[in-house]
Amino acid sequence: MPIINYMIRGWFTGASGMQAQQWRLDAVANNLANVATDGYKRDVVALKAFPEMLIRRQDDDGVYLHPFGSADAAPIVGKMGTGVELNELFTCFEQGSPKETSSDFDICLDGNGFFAVATPWGERYTRNGSFHLGKEGFLETKEGYPVLGENGPIRVKENNFQIDKDGRVWVNAAIPDDPDVMVSRLNNDWEDTQLLDTIKLVEFHLDRYLEKQGSSLYRESDTSGPAMIMVEGNRPRVLQGFIEASNVNPITEMVQMIEVNRSYEANQKIIQVQEAALGTLINQVAKVN
């Protein structure tokens, strides 16, 4: 019976290994699917082992005496692993490469921090700075959620606003309300410039525990802590006319996918070997009886 229990335990160990590789495969597949998504941050799976079990000799209970005192009659002869489980699935917020687009509505954050946007479910956060001008003149995400400034949604006119490296939004008050009028950029001697607002940038105590909500949006969790407005001197550099690329390295992800497949096959082979050994044992015991 102990041998059969050991073999069945081997099934559970192999099965837990296969499940762990399935979690890794899901994360890698999601990363590869979003390799071209602006501002996407890759998922990382962290695994941990089940508690190890101490192996002692059987049929040797109690203690015995020796010249220097007493000792266990069934000493530990080793340890036995009991499988693996998912520890956590977290988001890696490494900086993605900036890509120049020359569009005034594209904004890239060079450093830590998040844009704040207003959604029907409350305030959400994103690193995807691919914005556009909404029908009502607000700066919005591709899904139509207004981008927030420190004073509320940012309302601008096409070809009549400029964002500096500190995230301040400047407008030219001397330009008439004509969307077809082209004006020079702020660094080319704009006249009558006025400060409209400052882009609201936030940070978190533990941003790796933010929850993904889809459409490149994140929401705070109990572990990440609440959003904190970033103050001057601690804000990232804001680049207008650039977009942050995904931080997924497709070569690295493909190598991980190969590794996952091989690990999955190895655990599958373990179960097959355990099954064959158990079948042989049962058949031999049946013949003896």
Side-chain angles (χ1 to χ4, degrees):
M1 182 61 70
I3 296 179
I4 294 179
N5 287 337
Y6 174 77
M7 290 184 175
I8 294 177
R9 190 180 298 116
W11 287 352
F12 292 126
T13 302
S16 69
M18 294 173 67
Q19 181 64 63
Q21 300 309 318
Q22 183 63 55
W23 287 321
R24 292 184 62 195
L25 182 61
D26 291 342
V28 170
N30 188 50
N31 291 340
L32 287 174
N34 289 278
V35 69
T37 301
D38 296 329
Y40 176 81
K41 302 301 179 182
R42 63 188 179 93
D43 291 328
V44 180
V45 173
L47 305 174
K48 69 176 182 180
F50 285 143
E52 294 182 330
M53 299 177 62
L54 299 179
I55 304 176
R56 294 176 178 269
R57 287 204 301 260
Q58 290 185 327
D59 302 326
D60 222 355
D61 297 331
V63 297
Y64 65 90
L65 300 177
H66 58 82
F68 301 101
S70 62
D72 292 334
I76 299 172
V77 295
K79 296 180 179 180
M80 180 177 63
T82 55
V84 66
E85 65 177 335
L86 177 67
N87 188 30
E88 62 174 323
L89 173 64
F90 65 92
T91 304
C92 176
F93 284 101
E94 292 178 352
Q95 179 74 38
S97 301
K99 300 185 298 183
E100 186 172 5
T101 65
S102 300
S103 171
D104 289 342
F105 300 106
D106 288 338
I107 309 172
C108 174
L109 297 182
D110 184 14
N112 297 329
F114 298 85
F115 298 106
V117 298
T119 73
W121 313 281
E123 191 171 296
R124 294 295 184 264
Y125 314 97
T126 184
R127 290 282 302 190
N128 187 351
S130 180
F131 303 135
H132 72 278
L133 188 63
K135 294 180 179 180
E136 298 181 359
F138 291 105
L139 190 64
E140 299 177 348
T141 66
K142 291 182 177 179
E143 292 75 25
Y145 304 136
V147 180
L148 296 178
E150 294 183 354
N151 297 319
I154 300 174
R155 194 167 194 170
V156 295
K157 299 175 183 178
E158 189 173 3
N159 303 317
N160 191 30
F161 75 101
Q162 175 69 25
I163 302 174
D164 63 21
K165 65 178 182 179
D166 295 320
R168 295 174 296 184
V169 183
W170 299 87
V171 296
N172 192 337
I175 298 300
D177 294 337
D178 186 352
D180 296 327
V181 175
M182 301 297 294
V183 297
S184 60
R185 301 178 70 85
L186 182 62
N187 55 7
N188 288 333
D189 299 328
W190 264 20
E191 297 179 356
D192 298 328
T193 57
Q194 294 181 357
L195 179 62
L196 177 66
D197 201 348
T198 301
I199 296 177
K200 182 179 180 180
L201 301 179
V202 301
E203 61 182 346
F204 299 86
H205 180 59
L206 291 172
D207 55 13
R208 65 183 287 177
Y209 295 111
L210 289 173
E211 297 179 359
K212 288 186 175 181
Q213 191 173 330
S215 301
S216 298
L217 298 178
Y218 299 90
R219 61 183 176 187
E220 63 186 45
S221 66
D222 294 337
T223 309
S224 70
M228 301 175 290
I229 299 179
M230 304 184 76
V231 297
E232 187 176 355
N234 193 37
R235 293 164 61 92
R237 191 161 60 112
V238 180
L239 305 176
Q240 186 179 18
F242 290 82
I243 201 72
E244 182 183 6
S246 165
N247 68 351
V248 176
N249 185 327
I251 297 177
T252 301
E253 298 298 324
M254 288 300 297
V255 171
Q256 287 193 19
M257 180 171 286
I258 295 173
E259 177 187 341
V260 167
N261 287 331
R262 291 181 177 176
S263 297
Y264 188 92
E265 292 173 356
N267 282 281
Q268 187 179 36
K269 187 66 175 178
I270 290 174
I271 294 179
Q272 293 173 348
V273 171
Q274 293 279 353
E275 182 181 10
L278 181 59
T280 301
L281 175 62
I282 293 175
N283 292 333
Q284 289 180 350
V285 170
K287 290 180 179 179
V288 171
N289 291 337

